Amino acid sequence: MLTSLAIRNVVLIEALDLEFGAGLSVLTGETGAGKSILLDSLGLALGARADTGLVRAGAAQASVVATFDLPVAHPAAALLAENDIAMDVGEPLIIRRTVKADGGSRAFVNDQPCSAALLRDLGGSLVEIHGQHDDRGLLNPRGHRALLDSYARCDSAAVADAHGAWRTAAAALAQARETVDHAARDRDYLSHAVDELRKFAPEPGEEATLAGERATMQKGARLTDDLSAIADCLTGSDGGLAQLRQAARRLDRIAAEEPLLGAVLDALDRAVAEAGEAEDRLAEAVEALSFDPARLDAMETRLFDLRGLARKHQVAPDDLAALCDEMAARLAAIEGGEGHIAALEAEVRGKDAAYRAAARALSAERQLAAGRLDAAVAGELAPLKLDAARFRTVVAPLDEGQWSGQGMDRVEFEISTNPGAPFAPLAKIASGGELSRFILALKVALAERGGADTLIFDEIDRGVGGAVADAIGERLSRLAQGSQILVVTHSPQVAARGAGHMLIAKSSASENGDIVTRTGVHALGERERREEIARMLSGAEITAEARAQADRLLEKL
């Protein structure tokens, strides 16, 4: 609900702060007083084109601030969340728009900058402005299907779920077919490659292992002569270790003859032990560095072939085993693909049938609801002096390519204004106050089921009076029981129905030798309201009879 509107330097409005309440609020005033400026200001806040002509003469910029109180789970909250604009529960929504006199505009939502496009999207969920040039709200066929579903209380969730399942299954089938078709083109290549890789049997880490073993064996080949010479020095009957052991045995026999010889024997025993350990380590080194020309040749050949396969398939050597598995799976997909595709085709047919059944059931609900809505609107037309007009809700099938989670129907509201005239969209054959009255009839028939919380009707009573104006006022009042309604009116019958009444007036004054014209708006009290309705009844000179008639209009409501 729109709670306030602050306007600064817009055309003839210098500074204006308005408060709005629930129910029906009426705005009246002489022709040319500036009612359109008020609507243009609100339109600016809701994303309309930022025309520099709106800036008041002599001002640097114009600004409009609109404040809304929104219920929990209002569509605007989700839209703000999608655009990363914070809005706390229970806090008002504040929209601010500025236009500079030299061009350029800025927009803010809750003090966070945003685009004019976002304002337009927000505006569509917050306010509907119905006038002779309006092309939003009920005049936009894109929203007619949702309005009919809301009116009929259709639950389209089952259709949306069935459509999602159908499209998911169809996508899986398309992907499977593409995979099989692609793989089938490479059948011979895959068969040869898998056979080659399986015979070679590469293993992850094999390249590093082979390279390490080859390096070790090559090192052994270089060190063979040195290791052999070292072994000769240590081992054998004439080796150093044998000589040490022989010396130790002889010393052991004579060590008791002289105390110093015991120390020599201990040292010699330690040397024998160390030399023995050296002999063992040398044997291990010789074993580790053993050189086998046949084995080295085999390792080099496998390493060369391993790296050649990796280059051939453009992968790392360690990835060859995984590539073999992947190619084998693709080959298996060719061999078993037809059976898999057949199963997916059966699933798609089942999902398709489920969607069609759900969508047809929804279509049947819409057809029944369309008949009820047509009858409800028809009942509203005659009192609004539209008794020659006919209204119908068209529920027509869409092409299969246009089916969606909302079903397989196109929904559009159409009218025929004269007997025998063809039906056509609302906006194409109705104009001015007639169009607004069609909108009002449709809104009353739809009651509170869909659309924005705030509705603005601009001169809905144009060209009518008496009983028709009274019927318009009665329906606006009824509609306002579930929505906030603002109506710009010249009809006293409509004005008398308002829960709140604002007077728009233009005044001129001399300032510094210049004539300055301003538009102002102020809320009317009970006495002022009576005088304004009397003025609307009698014209410039308010008569006693006009005041009495105004009293009668106000008393009967």
Side-chain angles (χ1 to χ4, degrees):
M1 181 180 77
L2 176 67
T3 58
S4 67
L5 188 65
I7 306 172
R8 297 292 183 272
N9 297 317
V10 176
V11 193
L12 298 179
I13 299 176
E14 186 174 28
L16 190 60
D17 294 288
L18 301 175
E19 302 290 332
F20 299 95
L24 176 62
S25 296
V26 298
L27 293 91
T28 64
E30 298 283 358
T31 299
K35 295 184 289 295
S36 62
I37 301 174
L38 203 62
L39 297 182
D40 288 342
S41 299
L42 179 58
L44 182 65
L46 299 177
R49 180 174 174 272
D51 189 346
T52 56
L54 292 173
V55 181
R56 179 177 169 81
Q61 71 173 24
S63 68
V64 181
V65 179
T67 304
F68 294 86
D69 277 344
L70 304 182
V72 177
H74 191 280
L79 185 58
L80 292 176
E82 291 173 6
N83 288 272
D84 297 322
I85 295 179
M87 180 174 175
D88 296 330
V89 176
E91 292 298 314
L93 172 65
I94 301 174
I95 299 175
R96 177 163 58 94
R97 185 91 181 274
T98 61
V99 183
K100 293 183 178 180
D102 57 357
S105 70
R106 298 188 69 189
F108 302 85
V109 175
N110 288 352
D111 285 331
Q112 298 180 63
C114 71
S115 65
L118 176 57
L119 285 193
R120 285 192 291 273
D121 291 340
L122 275 176
S125 67
L126 296 170
V127 178
E128 290 182 21
I129 301 177
H130 298 294
Q132 57 180 327
H133 302 300
D134 182 54
D135 60 354
R136 295 168 294 174
L138 294 177
L139 299 188
N140 189 342
R142 287 182 297 178
H144 291 177
R145 184 170 58 192
L147 285 170
L148 180 62
D149 286 352
S150 178
Y151 173 79
R153 303 191 188 280
C154 293
D155 183 5
S156 59
V159 175
D161 291 344
H163 183 266
W166 175 36
R167 299 320 304 162
T168 299
L173 174 59
Q175 180 62 46
R177 283 174 172 164
E178 181 180 353
T179 300
V180 170
D181 289 345
H182 180 73
R185 291 193 296 269
D186 300 330
R187 180 193 296 270
D188 293 340
Y189 165 73
L190 287 172
S191 180
H192 170 75
V194 169
D195 184 60
E196 180 182 41
L197 287 169
R198 282 177 172 168
K199 287 179 179 178
F200 191 82
E203 296 180 359
E206 184 178 3
E207 181 192 28
T209 300
L210 288 172
E213 289 183 12
R214 182 185 67 170
T216 300
M217 193 169 289
Q218 287 173 335
K219 188 187 301 180
R222 293 195 307 271
L223 300 178
T224 296
D225 293 341
D226 292 332
L227 292 175
S228 178
I230 293 169
D232 290 344
C233 291
L234 283 176
T235 61
S237 59
D238 295 328
L241 183 56
Q243 295 293 329
L244 284 173
R245 286 172 176 162
Q246 184 178 359
R249 285 193 296 271
R250 288 189 177 187
L251 187 58
D252 184 53
R253 290 196 296 271
I254 65 172
E257 301 295 331
E258 171 57 48
L260 290 175
L261 293 178
V264 175
L265 180 60
D266 290 341
L268 196 56
D269 286 340
R270 289 195 299 272
V272 170
E274 291 291 338
E277 184 176 352
E279 183 183 37
D280 293 341
R281 299 288 84 79
L282 180 61
E284 292 175 3
V286 170
E287 177 66 25
L289 295 170
S290 61
F291 172 61
D292 181 353
R295 171 63 179 159
L296 178 59
D297 184 64
M299 282 192 296
E300 287 184 330
T301 300
R302 183 162 180 84
L303 187 59
F304 178 82
D305 291 343
L306 179 69
R307 290 172 173 171
L309 278 174
R311 287 193 300 272
K312 176 181 179 180
H313 294 290
Q314 298 182 341
V315 297
D318 286 351
D319 294 333
L320 284 171
L323 178 64
C324 181
D325 293 339
E326 179 188 337
M327 288 181 165
R330 290 170 59 188
L331 194 58
I334 298 174
E335 297 166 355
E338 292 303 323
H340 178 57
I341 287 176
L344 287 176
E345 287 175 338
E347 182 179 4
V348 170
R349 287 194 296 271
K351 301 296 185 184
D352 180 11
Y355 169 74
R356 290 172 186 266
R360 289 191 185 105
L362 180 60
S363 295
E365 287 186 68
R366 285 171 174 161
Q367 292 287 358
L368 291 174
R372 296 197 304 272
L373 179 60
D374 293 351
V377 174
E380 299 291 336
L381 294 179
L384 296 175
K385 202 178 179 180
L386 296 169
D387 45 306
R390 292 175 297 154
F391 172 89
R392 74 177 182 186
T393 304
V394 176
V395 181
L398 290 167
D399 293 336
E400 185 170 339
Q402 296 176 293
W403 292 358
S404 69
Q406 286 72 50
M408 52 179 66
D409 305 312
R410 174 183 67 85
V411 177
E412 187 169 359
F413 301 145
E414 295 182 343
I415 59 170
S416 168
T417 53
N418 296 296
F423 281 92
L426 274 171
K428 292 187 176 180
I429 61 174
S431 61
E434 184 182 54
L435 175 60
S436 294
R437 280 180 279 143
F438 270 115
I439 296 295
L440 177 60
L442 186 52
K443 271 293 183 183
V444 171
L446 290 170
E448 302 174 18
R449 302 176 188 176
D453 297 327
T454 299
L455 283 75
I456 299 176
F457 289 92
D458 184 13
E459 298 188 4
I460 190 174
D461 49 11
R462 176 180 298 180
V464 300
V468 176
D470 189 59
I472 291 173
E474 187 276 330
R475 280 154 179 78
L476 287 170
S477 179
R478 193 195 322 165
L479 190 60
Q481 294 174 11
S483 303
Q484 181 188 44
I485 308 294
L486 278 66
V487 57
V488 176
T489 181
H490 290 288
S491 168
Q493 291 90 342
V494 173
R497 295 274 182 175
H501 192 148
M502 296 183 182
L503 177 64
I504 303 173
K506 184 167 61 177
S507 62
S508 299
S510 177
E511 295 183 4
N512 299 321
D514 296 325
I515 301 298
V516 178
T517 302
R518 295 183 177 88
T519 289
V521 180
H522 71 275
L524 301 182
E526 184 177 346
R527 180 183 176 85
E528 293 173 312
R529 185 182 182 194
R530 171 175 172 267
E531 287 296 296
E532 171 62 8
I533 293 176
R535 181 200 64 77
M536 296 171 73
L537 285 164
S538 63
E541 183 180 348
I542 302 176
T543 64
E545 176 56 32
R547 290 190 176 93
Q549 180 63 22
D551 287 337
R552 286 192 291 272
L553 285 175
L554 292 169
E555 287 171 1
K556 75 175 185 177
L557 300 176

